Amino acid sequence: MSAQQSPPLDLDFIADTVRKQECILFLGAGVHSPPPGRANDDHDCERYPRLGADLSRELAHLCGLSTRYPQEDPTNLARVATFFENQFSRHRLVLEITRKIQEDRQISPMLRALVELPFPLIITTNQDTLLESALLAAGKQPRLSIYNPESRTSDDPRNLAAESPIVYKLHGDITHPETVVVTEEDLLKFTMRMGENEQFNPAPSGLKYHLRRWTTLFVGYSLRDYNLRLLFTTLRWRIDNANLPDMYSVDPHPDPLVLEVWENKNRYVKFLAEDVWTFVPELYQRVLQKDCRYRERA
């Protein structure tokens, strides 16, 4: 059974929750995907942050992975990052990631469109600072909560407002190298901390509280990513489906097995089979009642 394009009722429902400031934006690197039919090295798209598979390939090339370990998958970012760190250093790993996703990178038009919408709470595993820059450019004042493997998680769920959204950076921030989650060991430590008490849990009580109350919209992710599914499952742990609001994932090509299990069988999430360059302008128009000016940049 295949996913369908966003039916009007789904779009209208999502738009209504966004207008009411009762929708959580779960933002992934795919928000920086180039428009359909254009490659990453085409015109302005070459300045967008590298996506996971592309970043992994470039790190694999820099550490000579294909020569030393020809059987390894160069698109497995966590494993490639582990090889890179072991060959060089943690400092150089974070430095190279910074170059690929932050330095001289431009904010994608679809991210600029999304931050104009009234999301009071944004969750992201992106480690660059382009989201914060986009929010500031839109006249908003983001309040950051950055995961740190060695300290308590900051949490301020009070007074949520779209003008000053809380941004949970679950996999750290490259401006704080000690917080970056990228290697296999980083992910193992992160997953173990998801079982800690509220003070040290990467997903503190305020975040979990709103996940139980509001619609969640995944943009820029593929749930084929095992680590993302693990994070998603952990956030839902011990919460019955009857007590969870609807969750939607914008994915132009959802994995058939994930679709069958997560949507058709377990009803965890509903997939909307559209790319961000189609879905975001449609949502923008429904929420703000005007055409999305960023669509013209495609």
Side-chain angles (χ1 to χ4, degrees):
M1 184 174 181
S2 61
Q4 300 296 317
Q5 289 192 330
S6 308
L9 289 178
D10 282 332
L11 273 172
D12 289 340
F13 175 78
I14 296 169
D16 186 54
T17 63
V18 174
R19 278 193 300 269
K20 293 177 179 177
Q21 299 190 28
E22 295 177 353
C23 184
I24 299 168
L25 176 61
F26 212 128
L27 190 70
V31 73
H32 298 293
S33 298
R38 290 174 60 180
N40 281 319
D41 58 355
D42 180 23
H43 303 296
D44 291 338
C45 298
E46 65 183 2
R47 295 188 58 199
Y48 294 161
R50 290 291 181 262
L51 305 185
D54 294 327
L55 172 61
S56 184
R57 290 188 190 94
E58 293 183 21
L59 291 176
H61 174 73
L62 290 172
C63 69
L65 184 70
S66 62
T67 300
R68 299 176 62 210
Y69 304 99
Q71 303 304 314
E72 287 291 333
D73 178 7
T75 66
N76 186 332
L77 179 58
R79 191 162 173 85
V80 170
T82 303
F83 279 114
F84 191 100
E85 180 182 53
N86 288 344
Q87 180 170 341
F88 298 111
S89 66
R90 179 71 174 192
H91 175 76
R92 184 167 172 186
L93 173 62
V94 176
L95 182 63
E96 290 297 337
I97 293 174
T98 302
R99 289 173 176 165
K100 304 300 183 185
I101 69 172
Q102 178 73 32
E103 291 183 1
D104 298 321
R105 302 295 168 179
Q106 66 181 12
I107 303 168
S108 70
M110 292 303 97
L111 179 55
R112 292 191 185 278
L114 280 170
V115 299
E116 289 191 11
L117 304 184
F119 292 104
L121 196 159
I122 302 172
I123 307 170
T124 184
T125 52
N126 295 352
Q127 297 159 337
D128 56 73
T129 62
L130 297 181
L131 170 59
E132 298 92 290
S133 297
L135 286 165
L136 290 169
K140 300 184 179 183
Q141 298 297 320
R143 291 176 283 166
L144 300 184
S145 176
I146 302 172
Y147 165 75
N148 190 321
E150 305 300 335
S151 66
R152 297 183 179 186
T153 303
S154 61
D155 189 26
D156 182 11
R158 300 165 298 175
N159 303 319
L160 288 183
E163 295 77 18
S164 182
I166 294 179
V167 177
Y168 288 97
K169 304 191 78 169
L170 291 184
H171 281 179
D173 184 309
I174 54 172
T175 63
H176 303 278
E178 71 279 4
T179 69
V180 171
V181 177
V182 64
T183 66
E184 290 183 327
E185 288 296 314
D186 297 335
L187 288 165
L188 284 172
K189 183 179 288 188
F190 179 88
T191 303
M192 291 176 65
R193 282 200 58 181
M194 289 291 286
E196 294 281 352
N197 60 38
E198 297 299 337
Q199 290 182 329
F200 293 94
N201 195 305
S205 58
L207 173 55
K208 291 179 179 178
Y209 173 74
H210 291 292
L211 283 169
R212 292 183 177 98
R213 297 175 65 230
W214 292 348
T215 298
T216 301
L217 176 64
F218 290 85
V219 178
Y221 284 108
S222 169
L223 286 177
R224 185 171 184 173
D225 184 336
Y226 171 80
N227 293 313
L228 178 62
R229 296 203 308 277
L230 179 61
L231 170 60
F232 181 89
T233 303
T234 307
L235 288 172
R236 298 173 51 98
W237 192 246
R238 295 177 181 172
I239 305 175
D240 188 270
N241 280 356
N243 295 317
L244 276 173
D246 295 325
M247 296 188 176
Y248 295 88
S249 178
V250 179
D251 186 346
H253 306 291
D255 179 81
L257 179 60
V258 175
L259 174 68
E260 180 61 33
V261 174
W262 281 57
E263 178 176 38
N264 300 333
K265 180 180 178 181
N266 294 330
R267 309 293 183 183
Y268 287 162
V269 63
K270 186 167 186 177
F271 288 93
L272 305 178
E274 293 184 345
D275 61 79
V276 295
W277 285 85
T278 300
F279 176 83
V280 173
E282 291 176 350
L283 180 63
Y284 186 102
Q285 194 281 328
R286 280 171 168 76
V287 173
L288 300 182
Q289 298 298 304
K290 61 182 181 180
D291 290 336
C292 179
R293 56 197 174 101
Y294 301 101
R295 190 198 299 264
E296 299 174 359
R297 304 187 186 184

